[in-house]
Amino acid sequence: MTTDSAMTDEAVRDAGMEVRPAAGHIGAEISGVDLAAELDDAVVAAIRAVVLRWKVVFFRGQRLDHAGHVAFARRFGDPVVLPRRGKASPAGFPEIETTADRLELGGRFGMEHDEWLRRRRHTLLRGWHCDHGARVDPPAATILRAETVPPYGGDTTWSNLAAAYAGLSRPLREFADGLRAEHRLGVGYQSRPGDDAYVRHLLDRQVATLHPLVRVHPETGERILYVNGYYVEQIAGLSRPESSAILEMLLEQAVRPEYTVRFRWEPGSVAFWDNRATIHLAPGDTAHLDHPRIMHRVMLAGDVPTGVDGRASEPITGTAPGRW
C-alpha cells in the first residue's frame, strides 16, 4: 500500500464514500459509511487507504457499541489485549480500554487530576505522544470512540510525522537518518518532593526501547521523524546537552502547526489514526469543567520499527514483541 492520492481516490470512489480533508497535511473526515454495518472488502480497503494517506480519519454520528467497535477494529488488524486496564473499562471486552479522565486520573497515587496534568506536562512539548511508544512494538493504529464529551473543550490534536521529516533540510534529514533514541516510560513525569508513589510504580514497571530516530513506514515506505515528548529520553551516542538541544529542535519541528489537525469531538465520533506515523496531544482544557469525557479505545498490534539502515528497534527492558 502506498499513499498515492490517485489510488486512494479510486478506492474511495469504488467504495461509495466521501472524503473531506481537514487540514493541509493531515486529517480527513469520511462520510457515507456505517461502521456498525457489515463492511465489504472494498470499503475496508478504501478506509485503510485514506488512513495511510491522511494519517488520521474521522467519522461522525456512528452508533457503535462495544461489540461493534471490536468487530470494526478486527477488519484492520489484531486488537491488543491489555493485561491491566482502567477501572472504567467494560467487562467482557478485553480489547477495549475506557478512558474517563476525571474518574481515572483523579485520586491515583495520591494526586488529583490537575496535579497529574502539571507533573506530566510541565513543558509545552511533553504531552505529545504515540500510544505505548516505549514498547519495542508500539500499536500500529488506534481507534477511539466518543461516548460522552463536554459541550466545549476536550479536543484532540494530531501531527503528521512523515510531513515533519520531509520538512527538515536535507543535511538535517541525513543526520537524523543515522541516529537512534531511547524511549522510556515515565521520562516526561516531574516527580513530587519526597516519597512519590507514582515514581515507585514506574521503577517497578520499567519499559524502554532503543528506536530509530527515523522510522521507515512498513506499508507506505515513508520516512517518519520518530520522536515524541512523552517517551523519548536520550539520543544514543550524543552527550546530554547535545541530545537535549537536538530533541527539542526535532520535537518543535514535529508539532509545527502546519503539520497538525485538531478535532472537535461529539458523541458518536470515531477517530482512526496511524500510530506509526503520528503523535497526538490529549486535551488539557477540561479539568476545571464539571463535565465528563468518556472515550473507548481499541489498539491494533504493531510491528517492530525499522530504521533507514534496516536495523530494527532493540528492547532495553520490560518489553518484547507481542507480549503485553
Side-chain angles (χ1 to χ4, degrees):
M1 181 69 70
T2 70
T3 59
D4 181 86
S5 58
M7 291 176 59
T8 302
D9 292 344
E10 182 179 356
V12 168
R13 286 194 300 270
D14 291 345
M17 304 185 317
E18 181 181 354
V19 175
R20 290 179 295 172
H25 286 287
I26 180 174
E29 188 167 321
I30 297 178
S31 58
V33 59
D34 179 2
L35 302 186
E38 291 285 341
L39 302 181
D40 62 33
D41 291 344
V43 172
V44 172
I47 293 173
R48 182 184 296 275
V50 179
V51 171
L52 292 175
R53 167 67 180 85
W54 290 103
K55 311 309 185 218
V56 56
V57 300
F58 310 112
F59 306 85
R60 293 195 181 274
Q62 299 296 319
R63 296 180 298 277
L64 281 176
D65 57 13
H66 293 323
H69 190 168
V70 175
F72 173 70
R74 287 192 185 281
R75 298 302 305 274
F76 298 91
D78 296 322
V80 167
V81 175
L82 295 171
R84 293 177 296 276
R85 298 183 297 158
K87 62 185 178 182
S89 300
F93 296 93
E95 305 91 346
I96 294 178
E97 183 174 34
T98 297
T99 60
D101 289 346
R102 296 181 68 85
L103 297 175
E104 292 301 300
L105 294 181
R108 291 189 65 190
F109 303 105
M111 287 179 285
E112 294 305 318
H113 184 94
D114 57 347
E115 186 176 357
W116 269 104
L117 290 179
R118 289 198 308 271
R119 297 196 177 281
R120 295 173 79 178
R121 299 186 185 183
H122 54 87
T123 71
L124 293 176
L125 299 175
R126 275 298 185 190
W128 287 94
H129 67 286
C130 63
D131 287 333
H132 291 272
R135 286 187 54 86
V136 70
D137 57 345
T142 298
I143 302 171
L144 188 63
R145 167 171 57 103
E147 177 184 324
T148 303
V149 298
Y152 51 88
D155 300 356
T156 304
T157 307
W158 289 263
S159 186
N160 182 341
L161 298 181
Y165 173 83
L168 292 171
S169 65
R170 181 176 176 179
L172 204 50
R173 292 197 304 268
E174 292 175 347
F175 174 63
D177 285 348
L179 298 175
R180 297 166 76 78
E182 180 179 315
H183 296 230
R184 182 176 292 271
L185 180 63
V187 299
Y189 174 73
Q190 188 175 61
S191 62
R192 305 174 99 189
D195 182 57
D196 189 318
Y198 185 57
V199 169
R200 286 189 276 110
H201 170 82
L202 288 172
L203 291 174
D204 290 341
R205 295 169 176 81
Q206 280 290 290
V207 180
T209 298
L210 194 64
H211 284 306
L213 197 61
V214 178
R215 173 181 186 174
V216 178
H217 196 287
E219 294 188 72
T220 68
E222 294 171 291
R223 295 187 181 186
I224 308 298
L225 183 60
Y226 207 50
V227 296
N228 68 80
Y230 192 68
Y231 294 110
V232 182
E233 180 174 40
Q234 169 79 22
I235 298 177
L238 302 188
S239 69
R240 282 282 179 178
E242 290 170 338
S243 175
S244 177
I246 291 170
L247 279 176
E248 183 173 11
M249 176 189 63
L250 293 178
L251 280 167
E252 289 178 347
Q253 167 73 7
V255 299
R256 283 172 54 174
E258 57 263 43
Y259 303 137
T260 68
V261 64
R262 181 167 176 155
F263 183 62
R264 177 74 186 98
W265 293 96
E266 299 169 350
S269 296
V270 174
F272 183 172
W273 68 90
D274 188 336
N275 195 55
R276 302 162 296 190
T278 62
I279 50 178
H280 60 281
L281 182 66
D285 62 347
T286 59
H288 65 292
L289 303 178
D290 190 23
H291 298 287
R293 183 179 185 271
I294 301 174
M295 318 289 282
H296 305 288
R297 177 177 72 171
V298 176
M299 298 179 293
L300 301 179
D303 60 342
V304 177
T306 300
V308 175
D309 58 3
R311 294 171 57 205
S313 298
E314 303 169 30
I316 297 173
T317 187
T319 178
R323 290 177 56 187
W324 285 79

